Amino acid sequence: ELVQAALQQVTHGVYIIGTREGVRGNLMTAAWLCQTAKNPPMLAVAVGNTHYTAELIRRTNQFSVSILTERQRDIARICGSVSGRETDKTTLVPVCDTQYGLPGVADSAACLVCEVKQEIRAGDHVVYLAQVLWTSDEKRREKLLVYDTKIFSK
């Protein structure tokens, strides 16, 4: 319990992970993401083992990352509280397709496309170590959304 309380103090940004298999896209809110290398540009994202997003990443080996701004709190809430197995979340929030055909959040601070290089099991999550292949050309300087438990409360 003390460990969990301490871990709640670790700061995180708020991101949307986008996946697509065939014509259907999926979006998932994520907070456990970090840059791992500069050259080549790499990042790591942790996704729950049983999440639909993890299944799609395993099958397609790619995903997008949309970096949210403070004004996109509702998008984080929607994409983090509705299951992609039953609902195509790309119909619930404003999206744009990346150069690679993956969904991204429209007007986000930036959008990245990543290719998985390694998958690491980590308890109840899987960590995808991925290379950034593409980034949007937005240069928004808005305040970024920072994770807190209130994101998922009404």
Side-chain angles (χ1 to χ4, degrees):
E1 197 170 290
L2 287 174
V3 171
Q4 289 303 318
L7 287 174
Q8 287 293 321
Q9 301 306 308
V10 176
T11 57
H12 306 283
V14 180
Y15 312 95
I16 299 295
I17 306 301
T19 54
R20 181 179 306 282
E21 186 174 48
V23 297
R24 182 151 180 223
N26 184 57
L27 302 169
M28 180 197 91
T29 302
W32 296 350
L33 182 142
C34 68
Q35 182 176 346
T36 60
K38 186 175 180 180
N39 190 15
M42 306 270 298
L43 56 78
V45 63
V47 179
N49 287 329
T50 61
H51 287 209
Y52 182 55
T53 298
E55 291 176 25
L56 293 176
I57 293 173
R58 279 187 202 107
R59 291 198 298 255
T60 64
N61 223 34
Q62 61 183 5
F63 59 90
S64 67
V65 176
S66 297
I67 302 169
L68 299 184
T69 65
E70 274 197 338
R71 63 185 171 76
Q72 294 175 312
R73 180 175 294 270
D74 287 342
I75 293 171
R77 185 176 297 114
I78 290 166
C79 292
S81 61
V82 176
S83 171
R85 286 185 207 282
E86 289 84 37
T87 304
D88 181 351
K89 292 183 264 187
T90 63
T91 65
L92 303 178
V93 301
V95 296
C96 58
D97 274 341
T98 66
Q99 176 178 320
Y100 286 72
L102 293 164
V105 175
D107 298 320
S108 57
C111 186
L112 314 169
V113 170
C114 303
E115 179 180 67
V116 175
K117 297 298 181 182
Q118 188 174 357
E119 181 178 316
I120 304 160
R121 298 291 259 180
D124 60 357
H125 280 64
V126 59
V127 177
Y128 295 103
L129 185 61
Q131 183 174 346
V132 178
L133 302 177
W134 176 88
T135 184
S136 59
D137 59 0
E138 287 94 5
K139 291 178 178 53
R140 302 191 198 300
R141 297 290 182 234
E142 299 177 51
K143 188 167 182 181
L144 301 180
L145 184 57
V146 176
Y147 176 80
D148 66 54
T149 56
K150 295 181 195 112
I151 285 179
F152 299 107
S153 60
K154 303 261 185 231

